[in-house]
């Protein structure tokens, strides 16, 4: 009889403690929810003046910054590019939205995310490669498309493109 009483009290105690803490935990999880996109990466080889360069790009979620859109929060993102010749790093650079602020002619860039970055051959032979970056409003096709032409030493030119490659990956 004592065992049954203790077992009943134990079950009631556990149930009571779970019932009281569950709403608090769910509320905390809902407040802390931040949506993250999958990490994007790309690696290509480019030839300039008969020299081969390995270029890799990765886009990371910045866990300390976020963008708010329609009552949802999304991690802001940045692009990390590494250029190597053989086993030697020629240059590496991290691009965030600050790079694009002076080129962002319409809308508020602070409420947008770096969505993706694609590497391609440079159209002008004085450049090593081209990086195409989309900056988008979360969950929409409302994007701006930028083209960055990189030189061999790591400097680059930025231009906003009129082309609508918006939101595509």
């Amino acid at each position: 009889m004592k065992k049954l009483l203790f077992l009943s009290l134990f079950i009631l105690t556990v149930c009571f403690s779970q019932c009281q803490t569950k709403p608090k935990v769910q509320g905390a999880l809902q407040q802390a929810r931040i949506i993250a996109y999958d990490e994007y990466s790309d690696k290509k080889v480019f030839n300039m003046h008969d020299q081969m360069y390995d270029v890799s790009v990765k886009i990371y979620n910045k866990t300390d910054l976020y963008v708010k859109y329609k009552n949802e929060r999304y991690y802001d993102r940045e692009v990390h590019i590494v250029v190597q010749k053989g086993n030697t790093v020629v240059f590496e650079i991290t691009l965030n939205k600050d790079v694009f602020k002076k080129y962002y002619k319409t809308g508020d860039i602070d409420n947008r995310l770096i969505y993706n970055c694609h590497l391609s051959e440079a159209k002008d032979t004085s450049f090593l490669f081209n990086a195409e970056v989309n900056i988008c409003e979360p969950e929409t096709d409302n994007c701006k498309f930028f083209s960055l032409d990189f030189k061999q030493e790591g400097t680059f030119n930025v231009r906003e493109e009129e082309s609508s490659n918006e939101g595509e990956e």
Side-chain angles (χ1 to χ4, degrees), residues 124-137:
D124 183 341
T125 57
S126 63
F127 293 100
L128 177 59
F129 67 95
N130 177 268
E132 300 161 343
V133 178
N134 276 345
I135 298 179
C136 303
E137 198 170 22

Side-chain angles (χ1 to χ4, degrees), residues 39-57:
E39 179 183 293
Y40 170 84
S41 62
D42 193 10
K43 187 171 187 176
K44 296 201 175 173
V45 177
F46 296 101
N47 185 4
M48 182 175 202
H49 308 297
D50 295 326
Q51 296 181 18
M52 303 300 277
Y53 293 86
D54 293 312
V55 180
S56 65
V57 62

Side-chain angles (χ1 to χ4, degrees), residues 33-73:
R33 181 176 171 220
I34 300 177
I35 299 169
Y37 289 106
D38 293 335
E39 179 183 293
Y40 170 84
S41 62
D42 193 10
K43 187 171 187 176
K44 296 201 175 173
V45 177
F46 296 101
N47 185 4
M48 182 175 202
H49 308 297
D50 295 326
Q51 296 181 18
M52 303 300 277
Y53 293 86
D54 293 312
V55 180
S56 65
V57 62
K58 290 188 180 192
I59 297 181
Y60 294 100
N61 291 319
K62 295 174 69 174
T63 57
D64 58 335
L65 292 173
Y66 65 90
V67 170
K68 195 168 183 178
Y69 178 75
K70 290 189 178 179
N71 296 323
E72 295 286 348
R73 295 189 299 175

Side-chain angles (χ1 to χ4, degrees), residues 1-154:
M1 182 72 164
K2 285 184 180 181
K3 288 183 183 178
L4 184 60
L5 181 62
F6 283 121
L7 182 60
S8 298
L9 285 173
F10 176 74
I11 291 172
L12 284 172
T13 305
V14 170
C15 181
F16 182 70
S17 67
Q18 290 295 327
C19 292
Q20 282 190 338
T21 59
K22 193 171 185 180
K24 291 179 185 174
V25 170
Q26 283 180 340
L29 287 175
Q30 286 174 347
Q31 284 181 336
R33 181 176 171 220
I34 300 177
I35 299 169
Y37 289 106
D38 293 335
E39 179 183 293
Y40 170 84
S41 62
D42 193 10
K43 187 171 187 176
K44 296 201 175 173
V45 177
F46 296 101
N47 185 4
M48 182 175 202
H49 308 297
D50 295 326
Q51 296 181 18
M52 303 300 277
Y53 293 86
D54 293 312
V55 180
S56 65
V57 62
K58 290 188 180 192
I59 297 181
Y60 294 100
N61 291 319
K62 295 174 69 174
T63 57
D64 58 335
L65 292 173
Y66 65 90
V67 170
K68 195 168 183 178
Y69 178 75
K70 290 189 178 179
N71 296 323
E72 295 286 348
R73 295 189 299 175
Y74 297 82
Y75 282 125
D76 207 350
R77 303 173 86 193
E78 63 187 11
V79 177
H80 186 74
I81 297 173
V82 179
V83 177
Q84 291 182 284
K85 186 167 65 171
N87 291 330
T88 305
V89 174
V90 177
F91 71 87
E92 64 184 290
I93 188 166
T94 300
L95 304 172
N96 57 33
K97 291 186 300 192
D98 290 338
V99 171
F100 304 98
K101 277 190 177 183
K102 67 180 178 181
Y103 304 98
Y104 210 85
K105 297 175 181 131
T106 59
D108 182 12
I109 194 169
D110 293 329
N111 292 324
R112 293 173 179 4
L113 304 170
I114 293 177
Y115 184 72
N116 61 27
C117 180
H118 296 284
L119 301 175
S120 63
E121 295 282 335
K123 294 176 180 121
D124 183 341
T125 57
S126 63
F127 293 100
L128 177 59
F129 67 95
N130 177 268
E132 300 161 343
V133 178
N134 276 345
I135 298 179
C136 303
E137 198 170 22
E139 302 298 330
T140 71
D141 288 336
N142 185 9
C143 302
K144 294 288 183 186
F145 178 67
F146 293 92
S147 185
L148 289 77
D149 292 312
F150 281 85
K151 291 203 173 204
Q152 196 171 5
E153 66 277 358

